[in-house]
Amino acid sequence: MINGYLRNDSRKGIRNVVLVAYLVECAHHVARAVVNGSADPAVQLIGFPGCFPNAYAAKIMRRLGTHPNVGGVLLLSLGCEGFNRRDLLADIRDSGRPAELLVIQENGGTKSTIEQGLDAVSAIKDQLSSVERIEMNVDELVIGTICGGSDGTSGISANPAVGLCFDRLIRHGATCIFEETGELIGCEQVMEMRAITPGLAEEIRKSVKKAVRYYKKLGYGSFAPGNAEGGLTTQEEKSMGAYAKSGQSPITGLIKPGDIPPRSGLYLMDVVPDGKVRYGFPNISDNAEIVELIASGSHLILFTTGRGSVVGSAISPVIKICANPETYRRLAGDMDVDAGRIIEGKASLQEVGDEIYQQVLMTAAGAESKSEALGHQEFILTYKSFEPLGPACLPY
């Protein structure tokens, strides 16, 4: 049984994290020292390095600070950056969470702010000890998925197994999010056919067309050297494998990072920035995508890999599904599910899909994923720019 942490907005979390968030790179060291000094894996570090304001980063930080897995927040500011720290503090407090703000320039510098930060974290933890636990059902879960370090096995074992898990979750009323449009080039017509409305189908088509334009302008696609070394031959082949993670359910909506799905179903996340090509790589690493999925409410992340990955995340657990049996044997300590058994004929696709589903339930109920147990809490947030969603993107 899942016993979630009840929040004031009626959402429930599967973890009770205290965030220490720096609002500019100049405050990063102090924030990290507070997290390290707390010596508690539930106290986790996130932050935005930029000195100048960015609406995307502000939205992501607001969503993370009020995420259902987050119980309280300490904000660390240098004092002269562009981030609107007062508004962020107010938003978090308005959600009913305990939140504090320390400004290094006003609090005596490094040593003094670290000491005050440790006191603030301790006080927040004391408040969280009384957070109500309440039964949580599958239909209250939000699950995201990404693939990283893909190879020729990803699209025939781990990814379709996740798709089967997604279909089962959705049948039970859960919300599932797959991404990214830059890795789905060539699959737009298939996705359009699964859209629940003609307007949504058009939005999906436009989002993939935008990704093509973006990559063409930059002179590269979402295809890394490691993908080729692992046996993938074209962007389209990689796209087909990535697409398999979405399963067969109807696509309910199209969202952008930080947008919260309004009801259950399957959602496609468009992570490629809108407007002129200004930001270089749309996602500089798998962890940037994980952060965006979490910012849209994901309680946990299903991460498929063929060549191998060891990353986890702050805030939400990451479950690793390994597509390649040889990779699993090398990196078993980092992997939660061995989908390579499908290739070796030791398990069926359905059996591994069911195993992933059970792993979701166990992790949601409190069991540590491998990345959690190893202490992985990676986090990346940089600059992007997005336009608001159109009405056709979301279900009526």
Side-chain angles (χ1 to χ4, degrees):
M1 185 175 69
I2 305 171
N3 285 317
Y5 296 89
L6 182 63
R7 308 302 178 192
N8 281 16
D9 61 4
S10 297
R11 292 191 297 172
K12 299 167 189 173
I14 64 170
R15 297 293 185 268
N16 204 24
V17 170
V18 176
L19 288 183
V20 178
Y22 58 91
L23 305 183
V24 65
E25 185 63 23
C26 305
H28 189 162
H29 171 77
V30 171
R32 185 175 296 279
V34 171
V35 171
N36 292 342
S38 72
D40 184 345
V43 179
Q44 301 181 4
L45 179 69
I46 69 169
F48 176 60
C51 189
F52 297 97
N54 178 251
Y56 159 79
K59 179 179 182 178
I60 297 298
M61 290 290 279
R62 183 170 66 253
R63 295 299 194 201
L64 297 177
T66 58
H67 190 280
N69 285 355
V70 172
V73 183
L74 170 63
L75 302 177
L76 268 298
S77 163
L78 176 62
C80 54
E81 70 276 358
F83 207 108
N84 194 325
R85 55 185 179 270
R86 300 293 177 187
D87 278 2
L88 179 59
L89 179 67
D91 287 340
I92 296 170
R93 285 179 171 173
D94 286 347
S95 75
R97 291 165 174 77
E100 299 295 335
L101 168 66
L102 293 176
V103 181
I104 296 169
Q105 292 171 346
E106 300 172 4
N107 285 277
T110 298
K111 185 176 180 181
S112 175
T113 308
I114 292 171
E115 292 171 352
Q116 293 175 65
L118 288 168
D119 289 341
V121 166
S122 179
I124 291 171
K125 287 170 62 179
D126 286 344
Q127 293 181 66
L128 297 189
S129 63
S130 61
V131 172
E132 183 181 1
R133 300 293 298 276
I134 189 168
E135 185 175 346
M136 185 174 179
N137 299 317
V138 173
D139 62 6
E140 297 173 281
L141 288 175
V142 182
I143 310 297
T145 187
I146 76 162
C147 48
S150 299
D151 68 6
T153 68
S154 297
I156 57 177
S157 60
N159 289 358
V162 167
L164 289 174
C165 175
F166 260 29
D167 288 339
R168 185 173 178 182
L169 285 164
I170 290 167
R171 285 198 300 271
H172 286 85
T175 302
C176 294
I177 307 172
F178 73 107
E179 51 76 60
E180 64 178 287
T181 46
E183 291 194 352
L184 293 168
I185 294 169
C187 297
E188 55 269 32
Q189 290 183 335
V190 186
M191 291 191 292
E192 286 176 45
M193 290 189 292
R194 293 171 59 192
I196 62 172
T197 65
L200 175 59
E202 174 65 12
E203 293 292 341
I204 290 172
R205 186 191 65 79
K206 289 193 297 186
S207 70
V208 178
K209 185 177 180 180
K210 177 183 65 171
V212 172
R213 175 181 61 82
Y214 205 98
Y215 286 130
K216 186 177 293 185
K217 179 73 172 179
L218 292 175
Y220 67 87
S222 181
F223 194 93
N227 298 145
E229 292 170 5
L232 291 172
T233 59
T234 62
Q235 176 68 55
E236 288 77 11
E237 184 181 6
K238 183 180 180 184
S239 294
M240 290 172 64
Y243 168 76
K245 300 194 307 300
S246 67
Q248 299 296 321
S249 302
I251 299 176
T252 304
L254 173 72
I255 61 175
K256 298 177 184 180
D259 293 327
I260 305 296
R263 65 172 174 84
S264 62
L266 177 66
Y267 292 80
L268 169 62
M269 178 178 284
D270 176 9
V271 304
V272 177
D274 292 323
K276 294 182 179 179
V277 179
R278 294 186 288 165
Y279 295 110
F281 292 90
N283 282 69
I284 59 176
S285 79
D286 296 326
N287 283 96
E289 301 169 42
I290 291 173
V291 167
E292 291 174 333
L293 288 166
I294 294 172
S296 287
S298 296
H299 289 97
L300 59 84
I301 306 296
L302 301 178
F303 188 127
T304 67
T305 183
R307 291 182 60 82
S309 174
V310 301
V311 300
S313 180
I315 302 175
S316 295
V318 175
I319 295 173
K320 294 279 189 24
I321 302 106
C322 188
N324 189 317
E326 294 180 2
T327 302
Y328 182 84
R329 284 188 278 272
R330 289 195 304 271
L331 299 175
D334 288 277
M335 301 298 160
D336 298 279
V337 177
D338 177 13
R341 291 176 296 140
I342 298 167
I343 294 171
E344 293 183 318
K346 297 177 180 177
S348 69
L349 198 59
Q350 186 63 59
E351 286 172 334
V352 175
D354 290 343
E355 182 181 344
I356 297 168
Y357 180 83
Q358 293 302 323
Q359 190 74 44
V360 167
L361 298 186
M362 290 188 296
T363 305
E368 283 189 318
S369 68
K370 290 288 185 67
S371 61
E372 282 185 291
L374 290 167
H376 283 282
Q377 296 178 0
E378 288 85 350
F379 185 89
I380 296 174
L381 178 59
T382 55
Y383 286 97
K384 278 189 179 182
S385 178
F386 287 97
E387 298 168 1
L389 290 173
C393 293
L394 297 176
Y396 300 120

